[in-house]
Amino acid sequence: MNISIDSGRCIRCGRCVKACPSLVFGLHEEHPVTVDAPENCIVCGHCAAACPAAAVQHSEFPPEKVHPVDRAQLPTPEQLMLLIQARRSNRALSHKPVPQDYIDRILEAAHAAPTASNLQQVGYTVLTAPADLRFVVEYTLGFCRRMLRLLEMPVLGAIVRRCVKGAGRYRLSIHRLLDEYERHGRDRILRGATALIFIHTPAGSRFGAIDSQLAYQNGSLMAEALGVSQIYTGFVLTACKADKKKRLARHFGIEGTIHAGMALGMPEFLFPSRIDKKPIDIMKK
């Protein structure tokens, strides 16, 4: 990796110095910006993005990787808020597959999310084959059956229900999930989604869960903008977390830890209205 400053272009604005999170650059007296600690660089690109004169010469960010931003093309705060408020977990899915270019754009948006120390360790596994989606559903229902047996054990189940908040409510939910699938063939895990994205990081990644949730949120908003329904796969993730053998991850060749899952489908309809949340709770000090 090579970093330098084009002294003929540098206007001494100091933006690269202020933007760099790793103290790579320095600004001294009347001289152009200097590269004081290149070994600190985390390859985030802040310097190249901040420089208005294209004076930062970074081997990881050649000119073809640096793109001007036309801020006049960005959505207004009102438009962004409307998109956020309009987003819902629409479970009324059609049988139409999600177009591949839509999935690609959702992944691109997710991948653009920030990561701790710019490690960019977030990985994505995309499932679209019906057999793969069915495996995920049945794997999760298998976990639900085991949980139900535990919750309904005379002694141990009573202890769990007393100690785990909401355990009784989840027992009823699991009963419904299993009943719908076994008696009526209705999938209440993925809700008939035609695509599923698992978001994961290498084992031991300190901020893997946070990085994955940031990626999920980016992808979710892009899906909403494309008119694609997205459903958070809570039961699937609970099953993965409880499975010490990581059978689902191993089945799909996923190394590391799955932190998030986004089921995708084309909706039968779009919601014509948005609903207010409860009043916001802000603690002021």
Side-chain angles (χ1 to χ4, degrees):
M1 182 173 60
N2 182 268
I3 310 171
S4 62
I5 300 294
D6 185 334
S7 58
R9 288 177 174 269
C10 181
I11 60 175
R12 287 181 44 82
C13 66
R15 291 186 180 183
C16 58
V17 180
K18 295 174 182 177
C20 178
S22 303
L23 305 177
V24 170
F25 303 96
L27 187 59
H28 310 282
E29 299 179 353
E30 300 300 319
H31 302 288
V33 168
T34 56
V35 182
D36 294 348
E39 68 278 5
N40 291 352
C41 182
I42 62 171
V43 200
C44 67
H46 284 0
C47 55
C51 181
V56 176
Q57 309 292 302
H58 197 303
S59 59
E60 298 300 313
F61 303 104
E64 62 269 21
K65 284 191 174 184
V66 182
H67 311 282
V69 176
D70 183 358
R71 296 197 170 271
Q73 297 298 313
L74 298 180
T76 65
E78 292 76 18
Q79 289 170 330
L80 179 57
M81 181 60 75
L82 182 59
L83 176 66
I84 292 171
Q85 292 176 332
R87 185 232 173 273
R88 303 197 71 81
S89 296
N90 187 346
R91 295 172 174 81
L93 304 182
S94 71
H95 297 295
K96 294 170 57 178
V98 180
Q100 183 59 50
D101 62 315
Y102 283 16
I103 295 175
D104 292 341
R105 294 177 75 176
I106 291 167
L107 291 170
E108 183 181 1
H111 185 59
T115 58
S117 300
N118 192 46
L119 291 176
Q120 299 185 47
Q121 293 180 321
V122 181
Y124 305 89
T125 296
V126 183
L127 307 178
T128 56
D132 289 339
L133 298 173
R134 187 166 55 251
F135 177 90
V136 173
V137 171
E138 293 179 351
Y139 168 86
T140 306
L141 290 174
F143 162 77
C144 289
R145 292 185 188 97
R146 293 189 295 274
M147 281 300 299
L148 192 58
R149 285 196 294 271
L150 172 63
L151 290 171
E152 295 187 339
M153 291 177 68
V155 178
L156 186 56
I159 296 174
V160 172
R161 292 194 299 274
R162 189 181 306 115
C163 297
V164 179
K165 185 178 180 180
R169 178 170 58 85
Y170 281 114
R171 182 176 63 163
L172 296 176
S173 297
I174 292 172
H175 265 300
R176 286 196 293 267
L177 288 173
L178 293 171
D179 185 68
E180 286 284 293
Y181 190 77
E182 293 169 354
R183 294 182 58 188
H184 307 290
R186 297 177 188 140
D187 163 25
R188 299 303 185 192
I189 299 297
L190 299 183
R191 302 281 177 164
T194 58
L196 174 61
I197 299 174
F198 281 125
I199 305 176
H200 43 84
T201 61
S205 177
R206 185 178 178 187
F207 297 102
I210 297 172
D211 290 346
S212 297
Q213 296 304 328
L214 290 171
Y216 182 98
Q217 185 66 8
N218 265 25
S220 178
L221 289 176
M222 176 56 77
E224 189 68 32
L226 292 167
V228 178
S229 292
Q230 70 280 180
I231 302 168
Y232 192 80
T233 55
F235 276 106
V236 181
L237 296 175
T238 301
C240 290
K241 187 175 181 180
D243 184 2
K244 303 304 181 183
K245 295 183 178 180
K246 297 187 175 183
R247 284 169 291 185
L248 184 141
R250 288 192 291 108
H251 181 84
F252 293 114
I254 298 173
E255 297 183 0
T257 304
I258 298 172
H259 296 289
M262 184 187 303
L264 300 172
M266 300 308 297
E268 291 184 1
F269 57 85
L270 297 176
F271 287 83
S273 301
R274 62 179 181 84
I275 305 297
D276 289 338
K277 296 280 188 178
K278 295 179 181 178
I280 188 170
D281 184 9
I282 301 176
M283 182 179 292
K284 296 182 180 179
K285 295 185 178 180

